Amino acid sequence: MIDVRLKDGSVLQVEAGSTVADVAKQISMGLYRNAVGGLVDGAVADLRQPLEHDCALEVLTFADDAGKRVFWHTASHILAQAVQHLYPDTKFAIGPAIDGGFYYDFDLEKPFTTEDLEKIEAEMKKIVKAALPLERFELSPDEARELMKDQPYKLELIAEHAGKGEKISFFKQGDFCDLCAGPHLMDTSKVKAIKLTSSTGAYWRGDSGKAMLCRVYGTAFPKASELEAHLTMLEEAKKRDHRKLGKELKLFALMEEGPGFPFFLPKGMELKNTLIDYWRQIHKEAGYVEISTPMILSRTLWERSGHWDHYKDNMYTTVIDEQDYSIKPMNCPGGMLVYKTQPRSYRDLPLRVGELGLVHRHELSGALHGLMRVRCFTQDDAHIFMTPDQIKDEIKGVVQLIDKVYNLFGFTYNIELSTMPEDHIGDEKDWEVATQGLVSAIEEMGRDYSINEGDGAFYGPKLDFHLVDAIGRTWQCGTIQLDMQMPERFELEYTGEDGQKHRPVMIHRVVFGSIERFIGILIEHFAGAFPLWLAPVQVKIIPISDKFHEQAKALESQLAAAGLKVEGDYRSEKMGYKIREAQMEKIPYMLVLGEKEVESGTVSVRSRKGGDLGAMPVADFIAMAEQQIADKALDE
């Protein structure tokens, strides 16, 4: 018998060799019916996996993120099998699970059309109905090559695995067999609701020098109602797409001359600067000082920080006076140098240093996505230098700051603890101390968190903040990274109360993460209809006719003097057209000015959300708007 420790902390005794599925069945038949996989000692496992020794086990369902990936991975194999049935000459590449679904890359004579996808989807439903079991087996490299002799992409992958001395694993379902490590569902029958969403081109392994393949995207769910809800969310996401709205609202532009380097237009800069002003305000209140460090620094600095060894493939480099330099992908090494510009005492700590630093990171062209994935962005960085006994309070302070910001925009969020990766620097004991520091602080605050094993930064563990937007999507933005390695590498010191030199501990942290990406998230969260305090244009003045232009311009000056962002519409267009266009521009308030309003010293106020609010004295409107801006209210 072996002990299996379950998610709730209880221990179940089972016979050695029992599978994950056997344990699920022993817990409850309901769990067994919904099970899609397991986490065995933190590693994702197949339901068929035997348990040979004492272990921790979490049975996964579709409700778990890891469970979804098992489910969608199986769906990708069903897609490939359907393509094999309908287009037998196809060459198969890879088919992983991704966020929100799956894809499979195919090499075929001509790309799939919408009609082709409908046929493939129908064939997939037949495969699901057949309830084909998925069976795992292994072959030697030579046997694997023989099995896949007509599949060049599989042969390339086999060669890589064979070079590592590994046996090659496969999964078989009916007449389809694929090179795959798994895990997978027990059979195809659970994948009841399927939708192929698009077909596009994709280079083999993301390399523009390699073959262009046909990539088919899809998603799948255990129930039709869940699929329908997901597709509704996707439709809503299309309407909110920040690339579409960014163009329509004249916020930013993406140019062929600078792929991955966004251009901010005047209205976009108003939005960006408002966020930056808010960032500066709350950081000053929280006791931060602000610095600015150079964009280009020497290779020797990046070698000293560890970035050169762990990150150089993502760095842009240059040569100056025959010396190697790099454009900074992070701000932290420059922050280390700033700390060292003068002697520090324990009385100076904690020292909270913020920087809105423009950083550059190389991303593959296929990975670029509007403002969400770019090659240059403004990181709202801060580094906190402290004594060991200040760790807990400083972490709590950052969590409270992040909480304040996310609540302001109406975001809820989840916290994830990422632990030591294989590719790390520093002593494991330091990592244990740093990890426990994060855990102690977050648990004392009564916050729930999940654990992401092995996904910490190379220099320290971290807490990541995944915010949830208006339609339920999650985005990783804020992070708190506790670091004992970089102060050691840069020989940072402070004089302690005992008069001796000591090494400070430091926190790396961001709140927005990338300001550009956060703007993209805000565009989609608010569907471009920003709250009044954030809106690039807060008020649109619409005179009824040309004879009121002079009064409208005087009103425009009055509102601008009060600090409002205002535009006047002086075109010779009909009133209805002007109002509709202002609504399309998602401007919070429209002020209509005609003879009645001029005589009475009022304006007719229309709200983006509330419609016609009637006549209002100008002073009253200004007071109302100023109060909403001061409160940073989400609704006007």
Side-chain angles (χ1 to χ4, degrees):
M1 305 295 288
I2 59 170
D3 290 340
V4 177
R5 189 172 69 257
L6 302 178
K7 185 180 181 181
D8 63 2
S10 63
V11 176
L12 192 66
Q13 286 203 324
V14 302
E15 288 187 19
S18 299
T19 65
V20 174
D22 293 332
V23 176
K25 190 181 294 186
Q26 193 168 333
I27 296 170
S28 80
M29 286 304 295
L31 180 61
Y32 171 69
R33 283 191 293 271
N34 290 316
V36 298
L39 280 179
V40 180
D41 291 332
V44 183
D46 206 287
L47 286 170
R48 307 163 191 75
Q49 180 166 317
L51 307 175
E52 304 291 359
H53 49 75
D54 294 353
C55 62
L57 171 66
E58 179 182 343
V59 178
L60 298 173
T61 68
F62 188 79
D64 301 298
D65 287 343
K68 286 183 175 70
R69 298 189 88 81
V70 173
F71 191 95
W72 287 330
H73 193 181
T74 300
S76 77
H77 278 225
I78 296 171
L79 164 60
Q81 185 176 17
V83 169
Q84 178 181 275
H85 288 175
L86 297 172
Y87 308 92
D89 294 332
T90 300
K91 306 302 179 190
F92 297 85
I94 57 171
I98 56 173
D99 290 344
F102 58 90
Y103 71 77
Y104 210 109
D105 287 342
F106 304 101
D107 190 347
L108 66 164
E109 200 169 311
K110 60 178 184 175
F112 291 128
T113 64
T114 302
E115 292 74 20
D116 293 331
L117 295 187
E118 291 172 359
K119 292 175 188 174
I120 295 168
E121 200 175 291
E123 184 65 22
M124 290 175 73
K125 290 174 182 175
K126 293 179 186 176
I127 295 167
V128 170
K129 192 172 182 181
L132 301 174
L134 282 92
E135 304 165 20
R136 186 180 186 276
F137 64 94
E138 292 184 342
L139 295 177
S140 69
D142 286 342
E143 291 170 324
R145 280 189 279 265
E146 177 60 27
L147 180 63
M148 291 285 149
K149 61 185 178 184
D150 297 323
Q151 294 293 335
Y153 302 102
K154 303 297 183 184
L155 290 174
E156 183 177 325
L157 296 172
I158 289 168
E160 289 179 9
H161 289 288
K164 300 173 186 175
E166 301 173 354
K167 276 210 158 191
I168 313 299
S169 63
F170 292 85
F171 272 83
K172 182 178 186 296
Q173 62 197 52
D175 58 359
F176 178 73
C177 182
D178 204 354
L179 175 73
C180 186
H184 282 286
L185 301 177
M186 299 284 276
D187 64 55
T188 61
S189 65
K190 282 185 183 289
V191 191
K192 295 189 182 300
I194 298 168
K195 180 65 179 176
L196 299 182
T197 53
S198 65
S199 176
T200 186
Y203 292 112
W204 171 232
R205 297 192 148 180
D207 186 340
S208 59
K210 295 185 177 179
M212 174 65 78
L213 305 175
C214 177
R215 176 171 295 178
V216 176
Y217 286 98
T219 192
F221 289 82
K223 297 178 182 177
S225 59
E226 293 171 327
L227 173 62
E228 186 176 341
H230 178 75
L231 295 176
T232 299
M233 185 274 288
L234 290 181
E235 282 304 310
E236 182 63 24
K238 279 184 188 176
K239 296 175 190 173
R240 294 169 178 259
D241 190 318
H242 75 285
R243 295 166 298 179
K244 171 178 172 287
L245 289 172
K247 185 176 181 180
E248 290 174 356
L249 300 178
K250 299 180 176 63
L251 299 175
F252 66 91
L254 302 169
M255 310 280 193
E256 290 182 5
E257 292 83 353
F261 302 99
F263 290 69
F264 274 85
L265 306 178
K267 289 179 181 178
M269 281 306 299
E270 286 284 354
L271 174 58
K272 187 175 182 180
N273 286 333
T274 301
L275 282 176
I276 288 172
D277 290 344
Y278 170 65
W279 184 93
R280 287 197 165 111
Q281 173 202 330
I282 59 173
H283 281 76
K284 190 171 184 179
E285 291 169 357
Y288 287 75
V289 294
E290 187 178 352
I291 63 169
S292 177
T293 63
M295 196 179 298
I296 299 177
L297 293 164
S298 71
R299 171 176 170 171
T300 55
L301 176 75
W302 302 107
E303 289 174 334
R304 188 175 186 183
S305 70
H307 288 93
W308 191 263
D309 291 335
H310 294 80
Y311 210 76
K312 65 176 178 290
D313 290 343
N314 293 88
M315 297 166 69
Y316 295 113
T317 59
T318 187
V319 176
I320 303 173
D321 295 336
E322 300 180 358
Q323 298 294 319
D324 290 335
Y325 284 77
S326 177
I327 301 173
K328 66 179 179 181
M330 282 97 171
N331 298 307
C332 33
M336 306 301 104
L337 299 183
V338 168
Y339 181 92
K340 295 188 72 170
T341 56
Q342 66 185 71
R344 306 286 179 178
S345 159
Y346 71 94
R347 294 187 182 89
D348 301 322
L349 306 182
L351 177 62
R352 307 181 187 108
V353 183
E355 179 175 13
L356 293 162
L358 185 64
V359 299
H360 290 70
R361 300 178 184 179
H362 179 62
E363 298 284 356
L364 294 173
S365 58
L368 299 175
H369 180 76
L371 297 180
M372 304 303 196
R373 199 71 177 264
V374 293
R375 287 172 170 159
C376 76
F377 56 91
T378 306
Q379 196 169 43
D380 69 316
D381 234 331
H383 299 99
I384 303 174
F385 303 92
M386 60 204 163
T387 63
D389 62 325
Q390 293 170 336
I391 290 174
K392 199 179 294 182
D393 285 343
E394 288 306 305
I395 292 169
K396 288 179 180 178
V398 177
V399 172
Q400 289 163 354
L401 186 66
I402 292 173
D403 181 75
K404 176 181 179 178
V405 172
Y406 291 178
N407 285 337
L408 173 66
F409 295 104
F411 291 121
T412 57
Y413 61 88
N414 307 306
I415 302 174
E416 182 180 76
L417 171 68
S418 295
T419 59
M420 185 178 73
E422 288 185 20
D423 182 24
H424 69 273
I425 59 175
D427 188 270
E428 290 191 16
K429 290 181 181 178
D430 287 342
W431 276 82
E432 289 173 14
V433 171
T435 303
Q436 191 53 47
L438 292 173
V439 169
S440 298
I442 206 74
E443 288 184 349
E444 281 188 18
M445 297 180 79
R447 302 299 182 92
D448 293 330
Y449 64 93
S450 59
I451 297 177
N452 187 6
E453 294 285 356
D455 199 42
F458 69 84
Y459 47 75
K462 59 179 180 170
L463 292 172
D464 287 331
F465 292 75
H466 298 263
L467 56 83
V468 183
D469 72 10
I471 57 174
R473 297 168 302 180
T474 58
W475 308 90
Q476 193 271 305
C477 290
T479 188
I480 304 172
Q481 302 171 355
L482 192 56
D483 184 2
M484 295 181 171
Q485 313 308 324
M486 213 162 285
E488 187 69 34
R489 287 190 166 222
F490 282 88
E491 300 177 333
L492 304 189
E493 292 180 338
Y494 67 92
T495 303
E497 201 168 359
D498 58 2
Q500 302 299 308
K501 296 295 184 183
H502 298 272
R503 193 78 74 210
V505 180
M506 68 174 292
I507 287 172
H508 309 248
R509 46 109 295 189
V510 294
V511 179
F512 295 144
S514 152
I515 289 181
E516 286 75 6
R517 183 168 180 264
F518 198 78
I519 288 172
I521 293 168
L522 288 178
I523 292 170
E524 299 196 357
H525 179 61
F526 291 117
F530 301 109
L532 183 67
W533 73 274
L534 199 56
V537 178
Q538 297 165 326
V539 183
K540 177 84 82 171
I541 298 172
I542 305 175
I544 286 177
S545 67
D546 293 358
K547 68 179 181 177
F548 300 110
H549 281 190
E550 186 177 336
Q551 293 91 336
K553 288 178 181 178
L555 176 60
E556 187 178 341
S557 298
Q558 185 179 356
L559 297 181
L564 295 175
K565 299 170 186 174
V566 58
E567 285 184 353
D569 189 341
Y570 302 108
R571 297 172 301 165
S572 299
E573 299 284 356
K574 291 182 179 178
M575 282 293 300
Y577 177 83
K578 290 183 180 183
I579 289 170
R580 281 194 303 274
E581 196 162 80
Q583 288 172 330
M584 292 293 291
E585 292 170 0
K586 304 183 187 294
I587 294 171
Y589 286 110
M590 290 148 274
L591 305 184
V592 177
L593 194 65
E595 187 170 351
K596 183 173 63 175
E597 288 81 15
V598 169
E599 289 178 355
S600 61
T602 63
V603 285
S604 290
V605 182
R606 293 186 64 89
S607 163
R608 178 179 59 196
K609 291 185 179 179
D612 188 355
L613 303 183
M616 187 180 296
V618 174
D620 289 357
F621 172 77
I622 291 174
M624 178 186 73
E626 286 177 335
Q627 189 61 55
Q628 288 178 7
I629 292 168
D631 293 342
K632 293 184 168 57
L634 290 182
D635 293 310
E636 63 265 12

